[in-house]
């Protein structure tokens, strides 16, 4: 576990370290949740439905790109090697 220390400003403000913001997807303007558990304060990043949906859209687009790339590679291989033999017995 990496520890980061920050000073609390006069108005109670603290800057979340950039590497933590990047890893947790926290951007300027996002709301975070503060939860008190025993003697600790936990800061929870946003998990709204639109952010999750955007992540799924990006993943689906990447999958489509990979599938298209595989089709191109398969067509190129077929062009060089011919159709695959029928392996049925």
């Amino acid at each position: 576990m990496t520890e980061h220390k920050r000073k609390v400003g006069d108005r109670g403000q603290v800057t979340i370290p950039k590497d933590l913001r990047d890893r947790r997807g926290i951007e300027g303007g996002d709301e975070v949740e503060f939860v008190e558990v025993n003697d600790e304060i936990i800061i929870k990043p946003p998990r709204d439905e639109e952010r999750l949906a955007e992540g799924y859209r990006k993943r689906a687009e990447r999958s489509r790109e990979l599938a298209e790339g595989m089709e191109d590679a398969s067509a190129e291989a077929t062009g060089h090697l011919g159709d695959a033999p029928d392996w049925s017995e």
Side-chain angles (χ1 to χ4, degrees):
M1 177 172 73
T2 303
E3 289 190 26
H4 298 275
K5 292 185 179 184
R6 297 290 188 265
K7 288 192 178 198
V8 177
D10 293 337
R11 297 186 337 173
Q13 296 173 325
V14 174
T15 300
I16 300 170
K18 183 170 182 358
D19 64 315
L20 291 177
R21 292 191 319 262
D22 290 346
R23 282 200 312 263
R24 299 298 177 191
I26 300 171
E27 299 174 353
D30 284 347
E31 288 187 3
V32 294
E33 183 179 352
F34 292 84
V35 180
E36 187 174 7
V37 178
N38 298 324
D39 63 342
E40 297 181 333
I41 299 171
I42 298 171
I43 302 173
K44 295 174 117 182
R47 293 190 185 262
D48 60 70
E49 290 180 12
E50 180 55 37
R51 184 175 285 214
L52 287 173
E54 179 62 25
Y56 286 122
R57 282 191 291 272
K58 287 180 181 177
R59 176 179 245 174
E61 177 60 29
R62 180 68 179 135
S63 293
R64 277 192 294 277
E65 290 170 0
L66 289 172
E68 289 171 5
M70 291 301 294
E71 286 177 11
D72 293 342
S74 179
E76 183 178 338
T78 299
H80 288 292
L81 303 173
D83 286 332
D86 184 9
W87 295 104
S88 60
E89 296 179 80

